[in-house]
Amino acid sequence: MSESIFDRIRAAEGTVLDRPTFHADSDREEEKLDGGVIWKLERAQFFNELDDPAWDAFIEGDWTRVLEIFTGEREWIRGEVARYARRGLRFRRLRIVEDPPTPYLQWESHSHRIFVECGHDIRALDAAEVAGLERAAALPELMVYGDRVLYQVRYDEGWTPIGAKRVDDRDLVTEAAAAVAALWKRSEPFPDYFRRVISPLATPDTRRGDTR
């Protein structure tokens, strides 16, 4: 069985960065881009969000507050979209989704819906479509900045973000961008996924502590 590009990314040598360093480093790389695409690939169906009021409201069972917070982010999101547009950048986020959706995915999807309505590019792809790429392990969580650098985002056992592995191999970065772009072409617009799968769901009851 041949190695996929995602297997090679997991095995690749790189610089391990803690969370603050990763954020600062990726911001610098974004500033160096002169147009092009920034790819974000999300595979896990649960993350433990940090410093996020909407997440805090979610785990407290306050769904009304969750939606209020997401709605209140519209102006900031539009500003981000405009900032990318001025620089000729496209931020494309590909969300791998499992069925049935986890409570976390349901929560996140309401945020993604707002982002799309404000101009962000987000698409959804059923996990069954990537099963052939996951014989060794699930797809890694990735950020790919043009053809310059990629980051394999790192999490602890509870899926709390702890930083990233930075990979500078240009050939690997270029292949990674092409691989995510190929998955993107097979995915569906996020609003279609939201209407079909998320919209009919009842409000998740997170008072039981079930966010996964």
Side-chain angles (χ1 to χ4, degrees):
M1 181 179 64
S2 61
E3 268 191 324
S4 75
I5 177 62
F6 301 105
D7 295 328
R8 290 162 53 207
I9 290 169
R10 281 190 291 267
E13 294 185 0
T15 304
V16 175
L17 309 174
D18 63 21
R19 189 166 177 255
T21 306
F22 160 49
H23 288 164
D25 196 72
S26 60
D27 286 346
R28 286 191 295 269
E29 289 300 330
E30 181 182 306
E31 288 300 317
K32 295 175 184 176
L33 291 176
D34 183 19
V37 179
I38 299 172
W39 291 103
K40 183 169 187 176
L41 174 64
E42 295 176 301
R43 174 61 180 92
Q45 305 299 290
F46 171 84
F47 298 106
N48 181 29
E49 303 287 349
L50 296 176
D51 305 319
D52 187 328
W55 175 251
D56 294 339
F58 180 55
I59 61 178
E60 291 166 5
D62 191 346
W63 188 248
T64 299
R65 179 61 179 150
V66 167
L67 298 182
E68 288 174 349
I69 293 170
F70 286 157
T71 299
E73 293 175 338
R74 286 181 183 273
E75 184 176 352
W76 172 80
I77 297 168
R78 291 191 185 106
E80 286 291 286
V81 170
R83 182 174 66 86
Y84 282 122
R86 285 194 297 269
R87 299 185 53 218
L89 286 172
R90 289 166 292 165
F91 187 101
R92 290 184 168 174
R93 188 171 190 159
L94 179 59
R95 195 27 160 137
I96 307 300
V97 295
E98 294 181 6
D99 188 43
T102 61
Y104 173 89
L105 185 60
Q106 185 178 354
W107 170 84
E108 183 192 65
S109 293
H110 281 268
S111 174
H112 283 2
R113 177 179 63 84
I114 298 292
F115 270 78
V116 170
E117 290 174 355
C118 293
H120 265 286
D121 289 333
I122 306 178
R123 295 177 71 94
L125 182 63
D126 193 283
E129 295 292 321
V130 299
L133 298 170
E134 296 189 321
R135 294 187 180 94
L139 296 185
E141 313 295 323
L142 294 181
M143 296 287 300
V144 185
Y145 287 75
D147 62 355
R148 292 184 54 83
V149 63
L150 71 80
Y151 300 90
Q152 180 182 350
V153 187
R154 300 171 59 245
Y155 299 85
D156 65 15
E157 292 181 356
W159 285 98
T160 301
I162 58 174
K165 178 179 72 173
R166 173 183 170 129
V167 177
D168 290 278
D169 182 327
R170 287 294 183 91
D171 290 340
L172 201 60
V173 173
T174 300
E175 288 185 57
V180 179
L183 294 178
W184 178 269
K185 290 179 179 178
R186 293 160 52 190
S187 61
E188 67 178 320
F190 200 84
D192 294 348
Y193 168 75
F194 188 92
R195 285 190 294 268
R196 181 172 57 83
V197 177
I198 301 298
S199 185
L201 297 176
T203 300
D205 183 2
T206 56
R207 292 173 298 178
R208 299 172 300 174
D210 181 14
T211 55
R212 296 176 184 246

